[in-house]
């Protein structure tokens, strides 16, 4: 969790005159870059920074499974195709037997982590979560990466606990780290429109700060390409960078683009969105994230939303991590976007892009490098 | 290390095969992109083209059994199909009634059918032309033309002239695969040689037919094989000037006999860029979205491509081999991809003239 001056200096050396040459880029500079810089100039700058942070040419990935314990959610965000009402026919809460089977399968496939996330179910209190975590830890040796900030806050509120108390209890029960979902765009103006019932920016940040304070590592995400402006994207990046300066608890940043299929956001014309983000726009935001977040070690490419080929190209536009092999993924798949793959395929894909694939754990420690011919 | 090559490109000097090899082996994709963009802009300004087109594949029955092909069938085999001329006509007419804006080009390629006579093809072209006089027919690869000449006993020149007089407007560039005999014999031993492919093209150019050229890459060939291929195309283009666009085609592994992997997105972009730089006598480099995916095709516009093909509407060949794309894009989607890449979208006709439409 240390950030050396040297790392901040990695934003130096720019390729092009429109990209500033100060140590750390300012919000204003970042806005100008996002609006006017050529994608290739941004890419080259981000690529150089990635090389400096990860000179061995390793691209890491984690073998894990997304387990969604419930799809019932009271937030009903407009950009989400996964949520259901409690009484909907296909509403579910995962039973323990199925859960354990899924974990066993994950371990059999060399998995080290499960990502547990769900909707905000109105009838589940903290006891459910404590019980869930304990039952897993009693049976399995696996890292539990679980419950994004909206869930943490919902658990806290419905059980009348503070965020600090909630995280403490969950940690004691076996929660290892917290995923960075639910950040969407950390601008309340946008949140008010997209996800009015979801926690506001300050609470999202508060959960992360508290988790970091308890020694838990977390990731941070950003969902862009809906109705936000370039300024909102920079506001988001800046909030993350500022918190990271104070805590150093973020392991990675994961920007992904809004996937419009089956969502209210695309179906309701009042939002005026017609299309999904193109490759050029995705790479711009990815590269800018690498450049702006000079205090976060890892930037993840999102092959689940972008496909393997663009994910390969992402590795030259700032990304150094391929995310998860995703033995199972339900949320993005519910928008109709489904890029499937396997560990073998991920290894091949990274190698074909000119990098050394390596399996990592949740905290980005390398477990095994896959040199040529494996 | 690449300074010499950079200087050559910036001063408009031709790259050698050794230069091309250096570029293939270089890790500096950003330099490649900027050089290729420079050349693309010199040739076509900020424009990037698309076309309203439709593909028709009259049959998948083919006497050749190319190892990389998942589309072809033998006669009588499961999944084999053949369309009569009236079926094709019916399809086109039904579609025309539904489309607000008609497509301007029909792209027709198919298998080498063991029984159909040359007259089938002549009639196909003339019937379509009679019913849709404004529609441009771009049809038949070199491989098919060679086959027609064999089954009809006509010379290449006579074959091409006969098709042209029926209404053939231009030819696609398929069937080129990789010219190098060592690779070609493994990929498609029954197919005509690279030399013969080039001979047919030379003849087509001579009778006044413009054509495209392709290269299938990412299977078992080496960089040297790719460069050999490009070199032969450049040489013929110097002589005839008849090629319009070069289209590198990314190999797709599903359901084929040689299997292997999908090409990497980085290799796709690198290949587009090197094609743009090396083929200095080709006006256009096309990033065919069906094979590259719309995401990589869009990025290819930053790596030297100036064309992303068209609406396509129905695509069977790449989709047999596991295409990761849909079968069609609308003109609006194509135009949007181009705009978002910072280029000016131009709807073109089959000869790269801007299509003017009354709104």
């Amino acid at each position: 969790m240390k950030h050396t001056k040297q790392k901040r200096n990695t934003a130096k050396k720019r390729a092009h005159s429109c990209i500033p040459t100060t140590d750390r880029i300012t919000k204003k500079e970042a806005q100008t870059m996002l609006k006017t810089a050529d994608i290739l100039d941004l890419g080259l700058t981000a690529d150089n920074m990635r090389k400096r942070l990860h000179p061995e040419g390793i691209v890491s990935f984690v073998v894990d499974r997304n387990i969604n314990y419930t799809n019932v959610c009271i937030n009903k965000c407009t950009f989400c195709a996964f949520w259901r009402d409690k009484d909907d026919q296909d509403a579910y809460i995962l039973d323990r037997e199925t859960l354990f089977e899924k974990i066993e399968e994950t371990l059999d496939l060399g998995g080290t982590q499960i990502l547990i996330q769900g909707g905000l179910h109105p009838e589940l209190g903290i006891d459910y979560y404590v019980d869930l975590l304990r039952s897993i830890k009693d049976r399995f040796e696996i890292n539990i990466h679980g419950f994004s900030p909206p869930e943490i806050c919902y658990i806290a509120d419905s059980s009348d606990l503070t965020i600090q108390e909630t995280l403490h209890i969950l940690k004691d029960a076996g929660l290892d780290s917290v995923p960075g979902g639910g950040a969407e765009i950390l601008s309340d103006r946008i949140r008010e429109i997209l996800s009015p019932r979801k926690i506001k920016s300050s609470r999202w940040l508060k959960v992360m700060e508290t988790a970091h304070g308890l020694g838990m590592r977390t990731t941070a995400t950003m969902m862009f390409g809906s109705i936000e402006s370039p300024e909102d994207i920079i506001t988001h990046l800046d909030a993350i960078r500022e918190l990271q300066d104070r805590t150093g608890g973020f392991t990675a940043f994961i920007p992904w683009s809004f996937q419009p299929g089956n969502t209210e956001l695309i179906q309701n014309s009042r939002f005026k969105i017609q299309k999904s983000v193109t490759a050029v726009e995705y790479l711009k935001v990815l590269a800018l994230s690498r450049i702006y977040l000079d205090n976060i070690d890892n930037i993840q490419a999102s092959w689940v939303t972008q496909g393997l080929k663009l994910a390969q190209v992402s590795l030259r536009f700032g990304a150094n991590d391929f995310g998860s092999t995703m033995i199972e993924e339900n949320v993005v798949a519910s928008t109709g976007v489904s890029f499937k793959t396997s560990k073998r395929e991920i290894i091949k894909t990274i190698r074909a892009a000119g990098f050394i694939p390596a399996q990592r754990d949740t905290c980005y420690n390398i477990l095994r490098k896959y040199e040529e011919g494996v | 290390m690449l300074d010499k090559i950079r200087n050559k490109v910036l001063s408009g000097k031709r790259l050698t095969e050794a230069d091309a090899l250096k570029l293939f082996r270089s890790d500096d994709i950003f330099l490649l992109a900027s050089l290729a963009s420079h050349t693309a802009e010199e040739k076509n300004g900020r424009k990037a083209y698309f076309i309203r087109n439709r593909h028709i594949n009259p049959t998948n029955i083919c006497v050749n059994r190319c190892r990389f092909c998942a589309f072809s069938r033998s006669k009588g085999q499961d999944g084999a199909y053949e369309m009569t001329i009236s079926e094709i006509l019916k399809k086109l007419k039904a579609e025309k009634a539904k489309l607000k804006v008609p497509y301007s080009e029909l792209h027709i390629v198919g298998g080498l059918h063991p029984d159909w006579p040359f007259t089938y093809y002549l009639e196909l072209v003339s019937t379509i032309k009679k019913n849709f006089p404004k529609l441009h027919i771009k049809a038949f690869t070199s491989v098919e033309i060679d086959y027609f000449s064999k089954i009809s006993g006509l010379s290449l020149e006579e074959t091409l002239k006969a098709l042209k007089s029926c209404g053939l407007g231009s030819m696609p560039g398929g069937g080129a695969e990789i010219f190098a005999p060592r690779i070609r014999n493994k990929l498609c031993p029954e197919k005509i040689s690279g030399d013969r492919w080039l001979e047919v093209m030379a003849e087509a150019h001579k009778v006044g037919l413009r054509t495209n050229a392709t290269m299938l890459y990412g299977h078992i060939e080496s960089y040297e094989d790719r460069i050999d291929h490009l070199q032969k195309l450049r040489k013929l283009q110097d002589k005839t000037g008849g090629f319009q666009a070069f289209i590198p085609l990314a190999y797709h592994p599903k359901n084929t006999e040689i299997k292997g992997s999908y090409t990497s997105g980085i290799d796709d972009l690198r290949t587009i860029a090197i094609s743009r730089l090396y083929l200095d006598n080709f006006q256009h480099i096309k990033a065919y979205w069906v094979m590259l995916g719309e995401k990589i095709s869009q990025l290819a516009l930053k790596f030297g491509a100036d064309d992303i093909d068209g609406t396509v509407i129905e695509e069977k060949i790449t989709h047999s081999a596991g295409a990761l794309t849909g079968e069609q894009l609308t003109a609006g989607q194509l135009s949007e991809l181009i705009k978002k890449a910072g280029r000016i979208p131009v709807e073109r006709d089959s000869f790269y003239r801007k299509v003017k439409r009354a709104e």
Side-chain angles (χ1 to χ4, degrees), chain A residues 5 12 14 30 35 71 138 167 170 235 257 260 263 315 366:
Chain A
K5 178 86 169 130
K12 265 186 177 174
R14 310 287 176 193
K35 284 183 199 163
N71 61 351
D138 281 350
L167 280 167
L170 295 175
T235 302
S257 63
T263 64
L315 300 176
I366 298 300

Side-chain angles (χ1 to χ4, degrees), chain A residues 113-369:
Chain A
Q113 160 187 308
I114 48 169
L115 170 62
I116 305 191
Q117 287 190 112
L120 310 185
H121 194 298
E123 284 161 10
L124 301 178
I126 190 145
D127 294 344
Y128 169 86
Y129 295 93
V130 167
D131 202 45
L132 178 75
L133 291 166
R134 286 232 173 91
S135 71
I136 297 170
K137 285 289 182 180
D138 281 350
R139 287 170 180 78
F140 305 102
E141 225 177 280
I142 196 158
N143 200 289
I144 306 179
H145 189 51
F147 314 128
S148 60
E151 290 164 276
I152 302 285
C153 289
Y154 191 64
I155 299 167
D157 293 351
S158 56
S159 305
D160 226 357
L161 297 165
T162 64
I163 290 170
Q164 169 98 17
E165 287 163 348
T166 307
L167 280 167
H168 214 286
I169 294 169
L170 295 175
K171 190 181 177 215
D172 276 352
L175 182 63
D176 294 295
S177 56
V178 176
E184 321 312 354
I185 285 283
L186 294 171
S187 149
D188 288 340
R189 184 177 70 82
I190 300 297
R191 297 177 89 76
E192 201 53 61
I193 303 169
L194 292 184
S195 48
R197 288 181 280 293
K198 192 166 260 180
I199 55 169
K200 301 290 170 266
S201 308
S202 56
R203 267 197 116 191
W204 188 95
L205 291 161
K206 174 83 184 158
V207 172
M208 289 313 192
E209 184 169 3
T210 311
H212 297 167
L214 290 169
M216 297 167 94
R217 305 298 303 267
T218 79
T219 55
T221 65
M222 171 170 74
M223 185 198 77
F224 65 98
S226 61
I227 56 166
E228 82 287 343
S229 65
E231 284 79 6
D232 295 317
I233 291 179
I234 308 302
T235 302
H236 184 110
L237 294 177
D238 193 61
I240 302 285
R241 187 170 77 177
E242 193 275 331
L243 178 56
Q244 179 75 340
D245 272 345
R246 285 187 287 122
T247 67
F250 289 120
T251 52
F253 183 69
I254 312 154
W256 59 59
S257 63
F258 164 57
Q259 303 298 315
N262 307 327
T263 64
E264 184 193 343
L265 191 50
I266 198 80
Q267 283 156 6
N268 189 331
S269 58
R270 86 185 160 96
F271 298 113
K272 295 191 181 114
I273 304 180
Q274 277 102 41
K275 349 172 156 68
S276 44
V277 162
T278 67
V280 165
E281 296 161 284
Y282 170 74
L283 290 181
K284 258 190 189 176
V285 172
L286 182 79
L288 186 67
S289 304
R290 174 62 293 165
I291 297 165
Y292 198 83
L293 299 174
D294 53 3
N295 53 3
I296 295 186
D297 283 346
N298 303 292
I299 304 285
Q300 232 181 68
S302 174
W303 63 262
V304 179
T305 60
Q306 306 303 320
L308 290 171
K309 281 196 180 208
L310 187 54
Q312 287 173 318
V313 179
S314 303
L315 300 176
R316 299 302 303 273
F317 284 75
N320 68 292
D321 187 83
F322 233 60
S324 151
T325 52
M326 299 265 182
I327 296 165
E328 177 181 347
E329 199 287 327
N330 307 303
V331 179
V332 178
S334 64
T335 67
V337 172
S338 169
F339 294 104
K340 287 231 158 59
T341 191
S342 64
K343 178 172 168 182
R344 236 181 77 118
E345 193 77 15
I346 292 276
I347 290 171
K348 251 169 49 177
T349 303
I350 294 171
R351 196 176 281 149
F355 294 90
I356 304 162
Q359 187 180 346
R360 62 164 171 85
D361 65 13
T362 310
C363 293
Y364 289 78
N365 300 306
I366 298 300
L367 301 175
R368 179 178 174 191
K369 278 192 245 177

Side-chain angles (χ1 to χ4, degrees), chain B residues 107-358:
Chain B
H107 168 96
I108 309 176
V109 299
L112 309 181
H113 195 289
D115 306 328
W116 287 354
F118 182 44
T119 49
Y120 170 90
Y121 303 96
L122 294 174
E123 209 187 311
L124 175 67
V125 174
S126 59
T127 308
I128 294 172
K129 204 66 195 173
K130 220 176 287 160
N131 284 276
F132 304 96
K134 279 190 196 149
L135 191 57
H136 178 99
I137 302 176
K138 181 185 85 182
F140 312 127
T141 64
S142 283
V143 181
E144 290 165 279
I145 299 293
D146 167 80
Y147 186 65
F148 300 161
S149 124
K150 282 198 187 101
I151 59 175
S152 64
L154 299 172
S155 69
L156 282 180
E157 187 187 349
E158 289 162 341
T159 306
L160 288 160
K161 280 187 169 161
L163 287 164
K164 198 177 171 218
S165 68
C166 287
L168 180 67
S170 64
M171 280 169 57
E177 323 311 357
I178 280 280
F179 294 144
R182 189 177 52 85
I183 302 296
R184 199 174 183 84
N185 288 336
K186 281 186 203 156
L187 288 183
C188 45
E190 297 97 347
K191 191 168 262 178
I192 56 169
S193 68
D195 285 345
R196 179 67 175 169
W197 187 97
L198 291 159
E199 202 183 325
V200 175
M201 283 302 180
E203 202 57 45
H205 297 166
K206 213 168 93 188
V207 307
L209 286 165
R210 304 296 304 268
T211 76
N212 289 334
T214 63
M215 169 174 77
L216 183 74
Y217 68 94
H219 36 82
I220 53 169
E221 88 293 356
S222 64
Y223 289 145
E224 285 83 352
D225 296 323
R226 294 187 196 182
I227 293 162
D228 168 74
H229 190 97
L230 295 176
Q231 185 267 332
K232 292 198 162 80
L233 288 176
R234 189 168 79 175
K235 200 169 142 202
L236 178 57
Q237 179 74 334
D238 274 344
K239 275 196 219 146
T240 68
F243 289 119
Q244 299 202 96
F246 175 68
I247 313 154
L249 301 173
Y251 170 68
H252 281 54
K254 295 277 152 71
N255 313 319
T256 71
E257 275 180 47
I258 47 173
K259 300 193 169 67
S261 309
Y262 287 96
T263 55
S264 92
I266 291 172
D267 191 25
D268 292 338
L269 295 173
R270 184 185 279 138
T271 305
I272 289 273
I274 294 167
S275 304
R276 176 62 290 166
L277 291 169
Y278 181 85
L279 295 176
D280 57 351
N281 53 5
F282 275 66
Q283 186 67 24
H284 303 288
I285 302 290
K286 186 192 285 187
Y288 178 41
W289 68 263
V290 170
M291 283 188 124
L292 295 178
E294 47 192 275
K295 288 175 189 288
I296 300 295
S297 278
Q298 187 200 25
L299 285 177
L301 298 174
K302 306 294 292 185
F303 283 77
D306 63 280
D307 184 353
I308 58 173
D309 202 66
T311 49
V312 178
I313 301 183
E314 190 178 14
E315 205 289 328
K316 292 184 175 11
I317 300 175
T318 312
H319 282 81
S320 312
L324 304 168
T325 51
E327 285 191 64
Q328 57 173 306
L329 286 177
T330 63
Q333 287 170 317
L334 291 163
S335 171
E336 191 65 21
L337 285 175
I338 293 170
K339 264 190 230 159
K340 289 271 174 68
R343 304 280 289 276
I344 304 157
V346 177
E347 183 187 342
R348 65 170 177 88
D349 69 6
S350 303
F351 298 114
Y352 288 86
R353 293 172 303 209
K354 186 182 160 93
V355 172
K356 287 184 195 125
R357 288 193 192 286

